[in-house]
Amino acid sequence: MERNQNHQMKRGFLLLLIVVLAACVKDQELIPLGSNGTPVSVGMSMQPFDNGGQKLLAKGQFINGVHAVSGTVQLYEKDGQQTLVFTDFNSDTGPDLRIYLAADTEAKSFTEVTMLSATGNFYVPVPTGISMNHQRYVLIWCKRFSVHFGNAELN
């Protein structure tokens, strides 16, 4: 009986160790972009944002959730393509950070825009078919652990 109990304790410890190691994920490095004040694309081309012909639809100021975030975000549209432009943006790092457009700050109804990979001044295209009437919050969200880092409401 004692041998069986020792076996169960070892097995329980092994399971606990696996769970702890699976949760230990290195935070993703966020790369500073647009250091001269001009937003650039987060893609490989680092193209500056061309605001010619762009219509400003909304803007918002980031506020903290569980972690520190700061900066502003603006939503532009040109020829049916919407773009989120981040200015002076900063965030704590995390293991699986995403940019969501959501109906609320709890990510109950959201669209994933992209993985967050940068700070500073950058822009990302918005997936087509997003209704800004319903998804007015830009969330910085840790997907792996369902943690709300912070948000900006687009007005």
Side-chain angles (χ1 to χ4, degrees):
M1 183 167 209
E2 187 175 313
R3 182 176 173 194
N4 189 26
Q5 196 173 24
N6 281 341
H7 180 70
Q8 286 180 342
M9 285 179 57
K10 287 179 184 178
R11 194 170 173 194
F13 178 75
L14 183 59
L15 279 171
L16 178 63
L17 182 62
I18 290 170
V19 168
V20 168
L21 289 176
C24 293
V25 178
K26 183 179 178 190
D27 287 352
Q28 178 183 339
E29 295 282 329
L30 298 176
I31 301 165
L33 293 178
S35 58
N36 66 355
T38 302
V40 297
S41 93
V42 295
M44 298 291 255
S45 64
M46 299 289 201
Q47 288 288 104
F49 181 68
D50 178 12
N51 61 0
Q54 297 278 355
K55 179 181 177 186
L56 178 62
L57 300 178
K59 59 184 175 179
Q61 182 77 33
F62 278 96
I63 59 173
N64 297 339
V66 175
H67 289 270
V69 296
S70 61
T72 61
V73 62
Q74 296 175 314
L75 176 67
Y76 286 93
E77 182 177 34
K78 179 179 180 180
D79 299 330
Q81 173 61 56
Q82 295 179 341
T83 305
L84 290 173
V85 178
F86 293 76
T87 306
D88 297 326
F89 176 78
N90 203 2
S91 174
D92 286 349
T93 59
D96 191 17
L97 298 183
R98 307 299 170 115
I99 300 171
Y100 289 169
L101 285 171
D104 56 32
T105 59
E106 297 174 12
K108 290 180 181 172
S109 173
F110 69 91
T111 301
E112 183 174 321
V113 176
T114 189
M115 179 174 262
L116 178 65
S117 61
T119 61
N121 303 302
F122 62 94
Y123 66 93
V124 295
V126 174
T128 56
I130 302 298
S131 170
M132 295 313 296
N133 294 331
H134 301 322
Q135 296 186 337
R136 296 185 357 215
Y137 290 90
V138 178
L139 304 183
I140 306 303
W141 192 267
C142 176
K143 186 175 182 177
R144 178 165 294 147
F145 298 109
S146 294
V147 174
H148 170 229
F149 269 51
N151 67 272
E153 184 176 3
L154 294 171
N155 292 308

